[in-house]
Amino acid sequence: KAGVTQTPRYLIKTRGQQVTLSCSPISGHRSVSWYQQTPGQGLQFLFEYFSETQRNKGNFPGRFSGRQFSNSRSEMNVSTLELGDSALYLCASSKSGYEQYFGPGTRLTVT
Amino acid sequence: KNEVEQSPQNLTAQEGEFITINCSYSVGISALHWLQQHPGGGIVSLFMLSSGKKKHGRLIATINIQEKHSSLHITASHPRDSAVYICALTQGGSEKLVFGKGTKLTVNP
């Protein structure tokens, strides 16, 4: 069974640009969550989606948005990038109420 | 105050030693998760538990709901166990993970 995949794995953007990250969950998993990891703040929750509905949103500015498609694949978008958005972005999928499986992450560098 | 507190922050052990990492939390939970993160970023779920004790190979996780405390034990530690171990919790019907700051474990040969 294929694991959670994230694309791209690495990304370099400049300030002011926007970026879209993609997450494909394990087949049969309808829940997808996104997390940001930085050396200073550690792991922080961004969004939770279930069956195309956002169930929860973390304490991030409106520049961070996301969505989930009918096949459970999810994307997150960050507009007007800032240097502080440089981070490892992780997604995780699960059958609701069960353990979560993490993807390898997308490492975003903003210059 | 963080909802999830881990100790110690850093731990160095010799190969073969018994290791304990502790996690305390201050809120009601639906489940407590132990995660492992190796250099390079990948996170693996080790345990998800809501009561009692679970064991996978050399790893044991326990939780005391009344005391809001969980422990992760590693028996006969090995250098390949070197990683960051993260305690996290979920609440209600949400999949949202609330994380501790992690424990960096180094096991020397």
Side-chain angles (χ1 to χ4, degrees):
Chain A
K1 195 160 151 179
V4 179
T5 58
Q6 289 187 246
T7 56
R9 293 291 311 279
Y10 302 91
L11 204 48
I12 300 174
K13 292 284 190 178
T14 56
R15 274 180 298 177
Q17 287 186 314
Q18 75 165 19
V19 67
T20 299
L21 311 181
S22 180
C23 172
S24 293
I26 291 172
S27 178
H29 288 190
R30 293 164 65 188
S31 179
V32 173
S33 299
W34 287 89
Y35 302 94
Q36 182 197 64
Q37 185 175 35
T38 60
Q41 299 297 319
L43 280 157
Q44 293 183 286
F45 168 76
L46 279 159
F47 314 103
E48 175 194 352
Y49 289 92
F50 181 81
S51 292
E52 301 180 66
T53 300
Q54 186 180 92
R55 292 207 297 195
N56 232 321
K57 187 177 191 294
N59 189 24
F60 279 83
R63 300 184 297 107
F64 290 79
S65 62
R67 59 180 175 169
Q68 187 180 32
F69 301 95
S70 58
N71 62 358
S72 294
R73 190 177 71 84
S74 179
E75 289 182 347
M76 65 164 283
N77 184 276
V78 188
S79 62
T80 320
L81 283 164
E82 300 178 359
L83 294 178
D85 297 332
S86 294
L88 180 67
Y89 290 87
L90 292 153
C91 83
S93 77
S94 68
K95 292 184 180 181
S96 192
Y98 291 83
E99 68 178 317
Q100 297 190 35
Y101 293 82
F102 284 80
T106 294
R107 190 165 295 279
L108 172 65
T109 303
V110 182
T111 62
Chain B
K1 184 180 186 294
N2 289 339
E3 293 171 311
V4 186
E5 298 281 353
Q6 275 185 249
S7 63
Q9 275 188 286
N10 292 282
L11 184 54
T12 300
Q14 288 300 120
E15 184 173 356
E17 287 185 356
F18 181 84
I19 288 161
T20 296
I21 299 170
N22 294 299
C23 176
S24 295
Y25 53 94
S26 57
V27 295
I29 66 170
S30 56
L32 187 132
H33 304 249
W34 282 102
L35 311 170
Q36 180 192 57
Q37 186 172 33
H38 279 283
I43 293 179
V44 174
S45 175
L46 298 174
F47 295 103
M48 173 181 167
L49 63 165
S50 54
S51 65
K53 176 179 175 178
K54 288 189 177 181
K55 183 176 190 287
H56 289 156
R58 296 180 295 105
L59 274 58
I60 303 166
T62 64
I63 187 167
N64 184 317
I65 297 294
Q66 286 72 34
E67 294 186 4
K68 291 187 163 60
H69 182 269
S70 176
S71 294
L72 176 68
H73 305 286
I74 304 175
T75 61
S77 59
H78 191 276
R80 66 175 173 266
D81 296 326
S82 298
V84 176
Y85 292 84
I86 303 165
C87 172
L89 54 89
T90 45
Q91 300 173 277
S94 174
E95 304 299 305
K96 170 188 170 182
L97 286 165
V98 178
F99 300 94
K101 293 191 181 303
T103 295
K104 185 176 179 182
L105 171 65
T106 304
V107 182
N108 293 318

